[in-house]
Amino acid sequence: MKGHLTAPAPAGWFLPDVRSIRARIGGWAQLSVVQYFVAESAVIEAWAGPEPYSRATGFISDLGAVSCGLYEDRSVCSPLHWLMNASFVVQGLALVLGALFLTAGLLSVAARPGVQARRFRAVEGGSSPTRVLAVPWILAVAIRILTGVAGLGTVIVGLVPEDLGSPWHFAGALMFFIGGGFALLLLAIVWFRQTPVSWFLAVCGLICLGALVVGGITGMDVPQPGILERLMGYPVTIGLATAGLVIAQRVHAGRKALRAG
């Protein structure tokens, strides 16, 4: 007989479907954001500015600048700007897809098959108990929203390059940094004691938000602004991709066990 019998879930608890196609797509979509690093390396190799591009001093958005010339006090020329901007859009859409497909229940249990998630708890008061949403459930919903915000911000960055002079580019970047950083911190809290990866996610979130604070205080007027900006962005991409990998692996293992019966 395939499958296994489970006891009825108590009120407020349920068994998330971590073997669904939806969960698999969501996990792999979030993992796919690592394509950004491949695209960035290719665009840097094609850089045609008067000086070689440096990850230490060059801003990430310079790689997506459409025109060659002076932007603020920097000389930029990125022939493969279309590839960089396309990578931003693809990365953002992948995060939005992950936010839509990875349910709060699945995130609450870190995609562990057979583990029940708690949606609400009963609080005594008056003539009948009141249902109150459980904290892990609330955090999981917040993680989905923040991940979606980060993804939408990245799409905006790709559609509105820095040299178009639109404030939407800066707003999109902030959406990615802030949404992604806090999503990682909340995910680390929810996954605490469910997977050792939670510590890595927490570190990624703290690095991102810490660098963002430093950037805000200094106005990015530091000797190596490229490194500072990458400390904001890289941890988000790496952290969310790592979370996607954990989910994809556990969903795959669960589906494999189901087929084996």
Side-chain angles (χ1 to χ4, degrees):
M1 179 185 299
K2 291 189 175 183
H4 56 275
L5 297 176
T6 57
W13 295 76
F14 72 103
L15 193 63
D17 185 2
V18 298
R19 296 169 173 171
S20 65
I21 293 295
R22 172 178 176 174
R24 188 174 189 179
I25 292 174
W28 280 105
Q30 199 154 296
L31 174 59
S32 72
V33 298
V34 294
Q35 57 79 24
Y36 163 82
F37 295 108
V38 178
E40 184 193 50
S41 296
V43 176
I44 289 175
E45 285 298 316
W47 181 259
E51 298 291 336
Y53 182 87
S54 169
R55 284 186 172 89
T57 58
F59 286 89
I60 297 174
S61 293
D62 290 346
L63 299 173
V66 176
S67 304
C68 291
L70 282 176
Y71 179 75
E72 295 181 347
D73 60 344
R74 306 185 302 278
S75 182
V76 301
C77 190
S78 182
L80 290 185
H81 59 82
W82 59 270
L83 176 59
M84 193 73 263
N85 292 324
S87 176
F88 287 140
V89 173
V90 171
Q91 180 185 27
L93 292 177
L95 292 178
V96 171
L97 194 63
L100 291 174
F101 278 46
L102 299 178
T103 66
L106 182 143
L107 292 175
S108 296
V109 300
R112 293 180 297 164
V115 178
Q116 293 182 353
R118 190 176 192 179
R119 182 183 283 115
F120 63 85
R121 58 188 177 86
V123 177
E124 296 294 336
S127 58
S128 61
T130 302
R131 289 183 176 183
V132 178
L133 291 176
V135 172
W137 179 268
I138 296 174
L139 294 181
V141 172
I143 291 165
R144 296 182 67 189
I145 294 173
L146 289 169
T147 302
V149 168
L152 180 59
T154 314
V155 171
I156 294 174
V157 168
L159 294 179
V160 187
E162 68 174 8
D163 56 337
L164 293 187
S166 171
W168 281 104
H169 181 87
F170 180 70
L174 284 182
M175 289 167 65
F176 176 68
F177 298 145
I178 297 174
F182 278 107
L184 288 171
L185 284 183
L186 295 184
L187 192 59
I189 293 172
V190 173
W191 284 12
F192 182 63
R193 294 182 180 175
Q194 300 196 64
T195 169
V197 171
S198 63
W199 291 100
F200 178 72
L201 301 181
V203 170
C204 287
L206 290 173
I207 291 175
C208 165
L209 296 176
L212 186 61
V213 170
V214 173
I217 293 174
T218 63
M220 299 300 291
D221 186 13
V222 295
Q224 297 182 321
I227 290 180
L228 182 58
E229 187 183 28
R230 282 169 171 80
L231 287 176
M232 301 176 196
Y234 281 10
V236 175
T237 300
I238 294 172
L240 292 178
T242 301
L245 177 61
V246 171
I247 293 170
Q249 286 182 329
R250 290 182 170 180
V251 170
H252 175 72
R255 291 174 63 83
K256 184 178 180 181
L258 182 63
R259 288 194 300 268

